[in-house]
Amino acid sequence: ELIFLLLGTLPSISKPASDHIVPLASSSSPSLSSSSSSSSSSSSLHSSGSSTYPFVPTSSPPLSILTSLCRAYEGEQLISTVLQLCYLEGRHTEFMRIIINDEISKCNAENTLFRTDSIATKTTRAYFKLIGKDYLRETLYLPICNVIANPGGLEVDPSKLKPGDPYTNLEENAERLMESTTMFMQHIIASIDRVPMQMREFFSSLRAMVGTRYPSSQVKAVGAFMFLRFMCPAIFSPEGFGLLPSAPVPDVRRSLILIAKLLQNTANGVAFGGKESYMMPLNTFIEDNLPVLNKFFENVSKPVSSELVPSAVAPRPDDVAGLVRAREERAKLLSVVVRHLTSSHDWLQKEISNEDDSLLDLLLEEKVTPLDPLPVPAQAVPPPSPKP
């Protein structure tokens, strides 16, 4: 294959042989190379006897099978792998729409929409991490560093004040907490032009889909995903999003948690009370800033032209290293996906259409080397029998 590439005689990239054999599309990922792929190029890698990826199919499963697979396992690692594969093949937008629409259609109460740690929220969290790391760093790094430099004086819970703490005036602490949170809000509001277009496209689709069933929750859904699943977790756990090389010290962590809590309630428009009565002095902050955030959510979810959504250029025909990297990455992702498909075949047969079942059988017939078995899908495990 390398000889063909060097001689410039590698077969030209053509459209898929069928509607269900998806070529490697010209879409980019921040961490993945992308390329076009044909049956011949994938087959040559398949037959190369690679010990790293013993099973490299020539086609990718339909999205209906991939979404069923994610529902079967509900594991974030598999969801992330499936999402990266869809991203690499240019199918991520439709994949996300299917996942979100499925969640909306199954929701029975408007106030519970996207509130649980479901397939939709896990997938969206993985998607935002994939496309939004640079945006997070540009937006949150400076205010987080400011908290690291000045972590004290934000505690508003009297039960958490330590002996000898110089900041014992809770009213003053509340004022400082609101000032710090205002700084985070200002950075977020000012980032409107830096929000990745792929994320804005997602928010636009989300708003439209939610509006078909719950019109009054369109903007709130955008805020829930952007803050609850993206911004706030990155604020109180910056090391998990690559914003810090290691976990912050406890005092900094506590201050970041309080800031994230205030931001989240502001985005939801929910006043503090009950178990968090110590946060009630901050309700004025929520009242004053809710309109500002709602305006931001409306702007960030406006329809965007498809021409503005970036798509990567596939490696040039003479870029041997780029072509090989893209093919290897796709092989690795497909190998993991099909291992799970094999393990959950019986369960999937009950969940997918007859047409997709036939495609699944054809796909799995391409296996050339047995792989280690995987755990049974979570959804396929019967509940334990009640004890007498």
Side-chain angles (χ1 to χ4, degrees):
E1 184 173 74
L2 289 175
I3 291 174
F4 279 130
L5 287 167
L6 291 170
L7 294 177
T9 57
L10 188 68
S12 59
I13 305 303
S14 59
K15 65 182 181 179
S18 75
D19 292 338
H20 301 291
I21 299 179
V22 182
L24 210 56
S26 58
S27 178
S28 77
S29 162
S31 60
L32 302 175
S33 302
S34 70
S35 153
S36 294
S37 171
S38 64
S39 295
S40 60
S41 61
S42 291
S43 296
S44 60
L45 181 61
H46 186 190
S47 60
S48 65
S50 167
S51 60
T52 307
Y53 315 122
F55 175 25
V56 183
T58 58
S59 58
S60 283
L63 291 177
S64 54
I65 291 180
L66 291 178
T67 53
S68 296
L69 181 65
C70 289
R71 284 193 294 271
Y73 282 91
E74 300 185 3
E76 295 202 24
Q77 184 176 2
L78 174 62
I79 289 173
S80 179
T81 299
V82 170
L83 180 61
Q84 289 181 64
L85 177 63
C86 291
Y87 203 117
L88 192 61
E89 296 179 333
R91 301 191 292 166
H92 57 284
T93 300
E94 186 59 26
F95 175 72
M96 293 300 299
R97 284 176 181 157
I98 293 173
I99 292 290
I100 295 296
N101 196 55
D102 185 58
E103 175 97 351
I104 295 171
S105 64
K106 293 179 179 178
C107 179
N108 296 320
E110 186 173 0
N111 61 347
T112 64
L113 183 62
F114 303 129
R115 294 298 175 185
T116 61
D117 199 22
S118 62
I119 298 298
T121 55
K122 290 177 182 177
T123 305
T124 305
R125 185 163 55 237
Y127 184 47
F128 286 175
K129 277 190 173 183
L130 188 65
I131 65 175
K133 281 188 175 181
D134 291 341
Y135 167 66
L136 274 182
R137 173 167 286 275
E138 294 170 358
T139 305
L140 299 179
Y141 182 69
L142 287 179
I144 287 176
C145 286
N146 185 71
V147 174
I148 292 174
N150 305 281
L154 304 186
E155 185 56 70
V156 291
D157 184 353
S159 67
K160 292 188 179 295
L161 290 176
K162 300 176 182 177
D165 193 328
Y167 303 101
T168 57
N169 189 312
L170 295 179
E171 291 184 3
E172 293 180 358
N173 289 356
E175 287 294 330
R176 278 189 287 265
L177 177 55
M178 288 189 282
E179 289 175 4
S180 295
T181 307
T182 297
M183 181 175 59
F184 275 84
M185 269 199 58
Q186 290 172 344
H187 277 76
I188 293 171
I189 298 299
S191 74
I192 183 69
D193 293 330
R194 296 196 304 272
V195 177
M197 281 297 172
Q198 293 153 317
M199 194 176 293
R200 298 184 71 162
E201 181 185 45
F202 169 81
F203 286 140
S204 177
S205 297
L206 171 69
R207 185 174 172 180
M209 287 187 287
V210 171
T212 60
R213 186 165 185 184
Y214 302 118
S216 62
S217 293
Q218 293 180 79
V219 175
K220 187 179 292 186
V222 174
F225 270 114
M226 189 165 195
F227 273 60
L228 180 61
R229 306 298 174 183
F230 189 47
M231 286 290 184
C232 291
I235 291 171
F236 68 72
S237 183
E239 74 281 6
F241 288 76
L243 298 178
L244 294 179
S246 59
V249 298
D251 286 348
V252 173
R253 175 84 79 191
R254 175 60 182 169
S255 294
L256 292 174
I257 288 174
L258 290 170
I259 291 169
K261 189 187 294 287
L262 181 52
L263 277 174
Q264 184 59 56
N265 275 51
T266 305
N268 292 338
V270 177
F272 291 107
K275 295 181 180 179
E276 294 179 319
S277 57
Y278 61 88
M279 298 284 285
M280 289 178 64
L282 304 167
N283 285 339
T284 55
F285 180 92
I286 296 175
E287 296 172 5
D288 294 341
N289 291 281
L290 178 59
V292 179
L293 273 186
N294 281 340
K295 185 65 176 178
F296 174 77
F297 297 146
E298 289 177 3
N299 289 334
V300 83
S301 60
K302 287 180 178 178
V304 296
S305 170
S306 58
E307 297 177 357
L308 298 177
V309 181
S311 59
V313 179
R316 300 186 311 274
D318 60 343
D319 182 6
V320 176
L323 289 167
V324 170
R325 278 197 306 271
R327 209 161 291 162
E328 281 283 300
E329 186 65 33
R330 181 175 183 268
K332 179 178 69 173
L333 295 169
L334 270 174
S335 178
V336 174
V337 168
V338 178
R339 285 181 63 200
H340 284 80
L341 287 174
T342 304
S343 178
S344 57
H345 180 266
D346 292 342
W347 186 85
L348 283 172
Q349 281 184 317
K350 303 174 184 178
E351 300 294 318
I352 59 182
S353 66
N354 292 333
E355 179 183 8
D356 283 341
D357 189 21
S358 300
L359 290 168
L360 178 62
D361 289 338
L362 288 173
L363 181 72
L364 296 181
E365 284 176 4
E366 299 180 20
K367 186 173 64 175
V368 295
T369 303
L371 294 160
D372 295 335
L374 290 167
V376 177
Q379 297 291 346
V381 178
S385 301
K387 295 182 179 180

